[in-house]
Amino acid sequence: MTDPTISVAQFAAGTDVEENLASCQELIARAAATSHLVVLPEYSMYADFEKTQPDQNHSEPLDGPFVTALRDSAREHGIAVVVGINESDPDDDRVSNTLVALSKTGELTGVYRKIHLYDAFGFRESDTVIPANIESPLVFDVEGVRIGAATCYDLRFPEMSRWLVDQGADVIVLPAAWMAGPLKEQQWDTLVRARAIENTVYVAACGQTAPRCSGQSMIVDPMGVTVAAAGERAMTVASARIDPQRIADVRKTNPSLENRRFTVVPRTA
């Protein structure tokens, strides 16, 4: 088994879908030089946080041109991809905030639709996004390592990460568009580390960058040590090797998963 290398690749998406696609393709190509998996931000397809185009809500189905083009890029460069898109729903004017997982051969290996919508800090994601039903988590393998996926605001709900770990995740990837604001970068850093430490897993968190979001994409190991960081710059890739032995060693020192007395039971309503 090869210890996989993961990249977080951050940029600032906007309302030009073709421009966003080109940015994603460039970052995939750059990450592929060193990595087995690249994590791109939430809303990589289309982002209009300021609601400058309130009558438009660009979205596509999973077999639409945006995902199809990224499947081609994954196949061309031989790298797995996790990316956030705006997925259309034929029965609703709103979109699903969806993560798509693609294999290194370009196959669609899984989908996660965001459960916890960002109705906080003066923002109302639920005005334009459909809250997903709690069904099954997105968990998949890369080079023999189990990867679980969540999105942005999910980071504030510790049971979400524990749900993924209960499905065997050794790494949690978190595409995000973490809004800038007072103390937001500190909270991002604290919460990413906390999810890694309490679950004794790696966390690879990838955020959109300024002007609306914080960037600060990072990969944190099971002891909460930052092993890669992208800072605030757009179009930046940061990479780290995932070491299964590190996970095993930390879990021997800190057997918190074995010692816990509670389970996670999703609320259905």
Side-chain angles (χ1 to χ4, degrees):
M1 179 178 69
T2 301
D3 294 353
T5 297
I6 292 180
S7 290
V8 286
Q10 65 184 28
F11 75 107
T15 57
D16 187 326
V17 176
E18 289 301 318
E19 188 175 298
N20 296 336
L21 175 59
S23 295
C24 290
Q25 290 171 320
E26 178 182 337
L27 290 167
I28 289 169
R30 286 167 56 183
T34 59
S35 299
H36 300 88
L37 167 66
V38 58
V39 184
L40 293 158
E42 176 188 28
Y43 289 123
S44 284
M45 175 193 287
Y46 175 87
D48 185 15
F49 303 122
E50 302 291 351
K51 295 182 169 44
T52 60
Q53 299 180 0
D55 297 331
Q56 296 188 37
N57 204 357
H58 185 88
S59 60
E60 296 178 8
L62 295 176
D63 60 355
F66 191 88
V67 174
T68 299
L70 293 189
R71 289 179 63 176
D72 291 342
S73 290
R75 184 184 308 111
E76 177 185 355
H77 297 288
I79 186 172
V81 177
V82 174
V83 59
I85 70 162
N86 302 35
E87 182 188 2
S88 57
D89 187 315
D91 300 318
D92 200 309
D93 290 337
R94 297 174 296 173
V95 304
S96 289
N97 182 341
T98 298
L99 297 186
V100 174
L102 309 174
S103 74
K104 65 181 181 181
T105 59
E107 299 303 313
L108 179 64
T109 57
V111 171
Y112 165 68
R113 297 176 178 91
K114 191 176 182 184
I115 291 172
H116 300 104
L117 299 188
Y118 184 57
D119 288 358
F121 292 90
F123 197 87
R124 282 192 54 83
E125 190 175 25
S126 62
D127 288 344
T128 56
V129 176
I130 305 164
N133 295 323
I134 300 175
E135 295 172 349
S136 58
L138 173 55
V139 184
F140 57 97
D141 290 335
V142 173
E143 300 297 325
V145 170
R146 200 82 168 136
I147 312 290
T151 307
C152 200
Y153 192 46
D154 287 332
L155 183 64
R156 293 185 181 271
F157 300 86
E159 59 273 20
M160 180 72 191
S161 296
R162 187 56 56 87
W163 190 42
L164 294 169
V165 172
D166 282 347
Q167 301 299 312
D170 296 309
V171 180
I172 294 172
V173 298
L174 185 95
W178 198 263
M179 297 293 185
L183 299 178
K184 293 297 294 296
E185 288 184 12
Q186 293 93 324
Q187 291 178 7
W188 167 260
D189 182 83
T190 299
L191 290 167
V192 170
R193 292 176 190 276
R195 299 295 85 87
I197 293 166
E198 69 198 6
N199 292 294
T200 55
V201 295
Y202 285 86
V203 176
C206 183
Q208 287 207 38
T209 54
R212 197 67 174 89
C213 299
S214 300
Q216 306 298 328
S217 298
M218 59 197 302
I219 302 173
V220 175
D221 86 354
M223 284 292 275
V225 177
T226 300
V227 292
E232 81 288 354
R233 294 176 300 164
M235 296 300 292
T236 301
V237 176
S239 307
R241 183 175 66 89
I242 304 303
D243 182 359
Q245 188 59 51
R246 173 66 165 162
I247 299 170
D249 291 345
V250 170
R251 288 180 176 176
K252 196 172 292 184
T253 301
N254 174 24
S256 58
L257 293 178
E258 291 183 17
N259 293 342
R260 65 185 174 135
R261 302 286 298 277
F262 293 90
T263 59
V264 174
V265 179
R267 191 174 73 179
T268 57

